[in-house]
Amino acid sequence: MPTAFPIGTTIGISEMGDTLRAAAFLDKGGTGKTTTVAHLGVALTEQGHEVLLLDLAGKQGDLAKHFGVWDGYQDRIGDDEAWPNISTVFDDAWDTIAGKLGDDAVADLVIPTEEGPDLIPAHPGLDTLDSELGNIDDARERYSRLEQFLDEYVDPLEYDIILIDLPGMTNNVSYNGLWAARHVITPVEMGPFEAEQADALRQDLEKIAENFAVDIELSLVLPNKVDTRTNLAEEYLDAFTEAYPDAIAPAYVPYSQDIRNAAENGETAFAIPEPSTTASRAREAYLDAATALTDRLGGASHE
């Protein structure tokens, strides 16, 4: 059930470091959030940025699968070696755990990928995280656990940008991600339901700004899996451009079977040695989106 924001509650805006943050979110599954996070992460790396990806989307580990590291991490889970993990950082005892582990606390969370970005993968502990956060009475404490972790433990690692993959539903976990990132990436397919959901998201962000002293900005609306051979797709492209002139991506991502095949092989389209025309266009679209995103988050592109 969606978490209600208590009217009149005031939450102060924290001091963020130089690390840029954005979270991929839409209250709907299957829109390509994980694929978008993976490809934007690689695109940003190609542009010279140090990137950390964080998977809160569920225990399935889809982001880790995208980079071919999920099987190895599952082995660690099976051997009870995946501790600490992403769910641990939300725990009341995290500061104590981190204090005892020292530098290894965060280092043990992070997995490097062959395509450039580092990754903090999903973990089965995410299954119960929403209800555990729901037991926290204080609103600031409930919604700011991830922000506290990033501020205190991840920002000192000096990544240029952190991208967070959120669940395809509105819950305490997704609110934590939105709270911590303050900037939202929304991949949308060309259809009426996606248009309605994107508009609902914008209204939700306005409610958050109204109920709390915190602004969360819709920074990148990325049309995804677009097939412009249909007139309907062109109409929706025009509609999204008109509805989100300041957030729309500079180019759409075309539908490409190559991207699906690459994901099944544990890689992104950037790793395809001989990409098809649609995969090449998709790579260019992600590169353009990455540039636009860093500009909108306030970061200069690396030379």
Side-chain angles (χ1 to χ4, degrees):
M1 179 175 294
T3 305
F5 284 107
I7 300 297
T9 304
T10 301
I11 305 297
I13 299 176
S14 71
E15 294 290 333
M16 284 194 178
D18 294 330
T19 304
L20 306 176
R21 303 174 190 169
F25 181 68
L26 190 66
D27 194 356
K28 179 183 183 296
T31 61
K33 292 187 296 296
T34 300
T35 300
T36 297
V37 169
H39 283 79
L40 284 178
V42 176
L44 288 162
T45 301
E46 296 251 331
Q47 294 171 346
H49 297 281
E50 296 290 334
V51 180
L52 176 66
L53 309 180
L54 197 160
D55 189 357
L56 291 175
K59 67 177 182 179
Q60 296 86 359
D62 288 341
L63 197 51
K65 292 174 184 174
H66 238 87
F67 291 100
V69 297
W70 179 241
D71 287 345
Y73 191 65
Q74 274 193 309
D75 289 342
R76 289 175 57 188
I77 293 172
D79 294 337
D80 290 329
E81 295 176 356
W83 188 90
N85 54 68
I86 186 55
S87 63
T88 315
V89 308
F90 291 86
D91 196 285
D92 288 332
W94 168 249
D95 286 338
T96 301
I97 294 169
K100 290 181 178 179
L101 295 176
D103 292 341
D104 291 338
V106 179
D108 286 348
L109 295 171
V110 177
I111 295 176
T113 72
E114 292 186 0
E115 294 192 54
D118 286 343
L119 168 67
I120 298 180
H123 185 273
L126 292 173
D127 255 10
T128 59
L129 183 57
D130 177 55
S131 59
E132 291 168 4
L133 290 169
N135 291 328
I136 301 173
D137 293 331
D138 181 74
R140 176 174 179 79
E141 180 69 15
R142 185 188 317 133
Y143 300 129
S144 64
R145 288 282 175 101
L146 180 64
E147 179 185 55
Q148 293 168 23
F149 166 68
L150 296 181
D151 285 352
E152 297 175 23
Y153 295 96
V154 178
D155 280 359
L157 301 179
E158 298 186 345
Y159 286 100
D160 296 316
I161 185 165
I162 299 169
L163 300 182
I164 307 168
D165 191 15
L166 295 180
M169 66 185 74
T170 304
N171 63 14
N172 290 308
V173 178
S174 55
Y175 277 133
N176 260 266
L178 295 173
W179 198 280
R182 308 289 168 88
H183 293 273
V184 183
I185 302 164
T186 300
V188 289
E189 296 185 37
M190 299 298 96
F193 189 69
E194 285 74 16
E196 292 173 6
Q197 292 296 83
D199 188 55
L201 172 61
R202 179 162 56 181
Q203 293 178 34
D204 286 344
L205 299 183
E206 290 172 354
K207 288 178 182 177
I208 294 173
E210 178 183 345
N211 296 338
F212 296 88
V214 58
D215 290 328
I216 301 174
E217 182 178 345
L218 185 56
S219 298
L220 183 68
V221 175
L222 181 61
N224 189 39
K225 304 178 189 176
V226 177
D227 183 355
T228 54
R229 294 174 298 180
T230 66
N231 292 333
L232 191 59
E234 291 281 8
E235 292 175 9
Y236 277 112
L237 272 175
D238 292 341
F240 277 112
T241 301
E242 182 178 352
Y244 305 97
D246 297 326
I248 195 73
Y252 65 83
V253 177
Y255 173 80
S256 174
Q257 185 62 40
D258 269 9
I259 292 180
R260 296 191 61 169
N261 295 341
E264 291 176 0
N265 291 328
E267 60 188 17
T268 73
F270 287 96
I272 301 173
E274 296 182 5
S276 63
T277 299
T278 55
S280 295
R281 286 171 51 204
R283 296 200 303 198
E284 290 301 317
Y286 284 120
L287 287 165
D288 289 345
T291 299
L293 180 63
T294 53
D295 288 344
R296 294 169 189 178
L297 300 186
S301 297
H302 287 194
E303 296 296 332

